[in-house]
Amino acid sequence: MGEGSIPDEEWERFLREAAAGAPGAPREPSARARMVTRRLKEQPAPPEGWRTHTPARPRGGGGKGWYAFGLMAALALLVVALTPGRLTGWWGNGDADAVPPAAETARPTAPPPTEAAAGLPTVDEPFRGSPARLWSDGATGLGLPAARATGWMTEAEVARALDRSRDFLIASSLDPGVLRGERPAKAIAAVNPQQRDVQDFLETAFTAPTPENDPLLLFSRFDGTEVRLAGDVVKTRGRITYREGKRGAVEVSSDVTYVYPLVRAASGSDEVARTIVRREVVMSWDDPAKVFIEPGTFSLVSYRVDSANGGCSPSTGYFTPEFSAERAVTDEGEGPESDPYDRSTPMDTRMREADGVGCGRASRL
């Protein structure tokens, strides 16, 4: 009989008492219970510190401190669970609507809502009070649609045409040098040199600008001796689409609004004015077998612009924003007030409404 086993006589006495229903008789352990109990008895004690924890004795009321800390943590979790919106206020700017709008895939049905964080713009926050505060920065707002074989182009060729179309928009409306008033040489090089009427326009627009030959129809330029960008961010919102055009061409259309924050060029100037420019450009990537065109260039189908706070003086080739001092002494303009951030109205409709009005009035500048 192994060590620790019950003697035979004791076992027989237990069976007799159990059969007789003796009070207080112990129940027979199951085979598994006996096995586990025996293994635990034979297993050596684990070494000190192995999966064990001996709590240290707190010093000077430390137990109360940990209790208070735990209570505070529990209360904080309860507040977050009951009022999750407050969490943004602790670590963010607290704006309930501070969520960038989804990419524009079709014409909006309404103007953007009024900006919750109202107030005058500053050099540090040049888009304060403007719906553009939540718009994309620069080229990131010029999203491209998925490419598919269209007209004379394969899918890969359409993708390349879309990329080059966006490059033109960047070179014409976002390039820092062009915004300072430089000639947009890179953008001009993308236009088909065989397109005679456009080349005539480009030759006169920068030397003798007129309302009909105004570089601002295609390019965003400011007189660097008068104003400069407030920071290095231009806000953008719009869409780029394409379809099959004439003679199998791939026709790429862009409808983009650019918001330029500006200060006077003088050192130390800190008043911010915004010029809002909505520009529509249609580019035709023609089949060289059917149209005279230089490889890698496009033909311009149409181009037009609608701007707010860009100046109403005779064409100078530059946008000329007004600041508070100028606005105080100039006429408010003619016609109904328009919202330059409203992209729900087609460009041609807005142009017809503005035809013959002269300088209009813009809201939310």
Side-chain angles (χ1 to χ4, degrees), residues 20-46:
R27 296 181 181 177
E28 182 183 12
S30 68
R32 176 167 179 79
R34 289 202 307 269
M35 179 181 67
V36 172
T37 302
R38 180 182 180 88
R39 186 163 59 242
L40 289 174
K41 288 181 178 180
E42 295 174 348
Q43 193 174 43

Side-chain angles (χ1 to χ4, degrees), residues 76-358:
L77 290 174
L78 181 61
V79 170
V80 171
L82 295 177
T83 56
R86 292 185 178 271
L87 190 63
T88 304
W90 294 345
W91 283 281
N93 57 20
D95 291 344
D97 64 339
V99 177
E104 190 177 289
T105 57
R107 181 178 295 114
T109 58
T114 301
E115 175 63 16
L120 295 175
T122 66
V123 173
D124 292 332
E125 297 183 69
F127 301 101
R128 178 191 290 175
S130 164
R133 185 177 68 90
L134 300 178
W135 289 6
S136 299
D137 294 355
T140 59
L142 308 178
L144 296 177
R148 65 181 185 280
T150 303
W152 72 282
M153 286 186 170
T154 64
E155 179 181 316
E157 290 169 332
V158 169
R160 186 159 55 249
L162 289 171
D163 285 337
R164 290 177 176 174
S165 298
R166 180 171 56 183
D167 290 344
F168 173 79
L169 300 180
I170 294 170
S172 61
S173 301
L174 293 173
D175 181 89
V178 175
L179 297 181
R180 290 193 299 267
E182 297 176 7
R183 185 180 178 86
K186 183 178 179 180
I188 292 174
V191 180
N192 180 14
Q194 304 296 332
Q195 196 175 9
R196 194 65 261 164
D197 59 336
V198 175
Q199 293 302 320
D200 291 341
F201 158 75
L202 293 172
E203 288 173 7
T204 60
F206 297 98
T207 56
T210 65
E212 294 74 26
N213 293 314
D214 193 335
L216 301 182
L217 291 169
L218 271 174
F219 312 103
S220 291
R221 306 169 75 233
F222 298 89
D223 186 344
T225 65
E226 298 290 335
V227 296
R228 56 184 170 84
L229 280 181
D232 55 2
V233 173
V234 174
K235 290 291 187 175
T236 56
R237 183 149 181 84
R239 62 188 180 278
I240 298 174
T241 59
Y242 67 97
R243 66 176 185 177
E244 182 174 348
K246 295 180 179 179
R247 294 176 291 277
V250 175
E251 193 174 277
V252 179
S253 299
S254 64
D255 180 354
V256 182
T257 299
Y258 307 86
V259 183
Y260 303 97
L262 303 138
V263 295
R264 292 183 177 89
S267 177
S269 298
D270 58 3
E271 181 188 350
V272 177
R274 290 187 289 251
T275 294
I276 300 99
V277 178
R278 183 179 175 186
R279 186 176 284 116
E280 184 181 271
V281 181
V282 182
M283 299 159 271
S284 180
W285 294 88
D286 299 313
D287 184 350
K290 300 177 181 177
V291 176
F292 288 110
I293 188 168
E294 292 293 326
T297 66
F298 60 83
S299 300
L300 278 166
V301 176
S302 63
Y303 44 95
R304 49 192 170 188
V305 67
D306 184 27
S307 64
N309 197 29
C312 283
S313 58
S315 301
T316 63
Y318 303 104
F319 288 119
T320 54
E322 291 184 343
F323 293 82
S324 57
E326 292 90 357
R327 291 179 192 169
V329 298
T330 57
D331 191 357
E332 289 188 357
E334 308 170 12
E337 187 177 71
S338 63
D339 181 359
Y341 297 100
D342 182 6
R343 295 183 45 78
S344 64
T345 304
M347 278 282 286
D348 55 356
T349 301
R350 176 164 290 189
M351 300 297 283
R352 284 197 302 270
E353 292 174 349
D355 187 31
V357 171

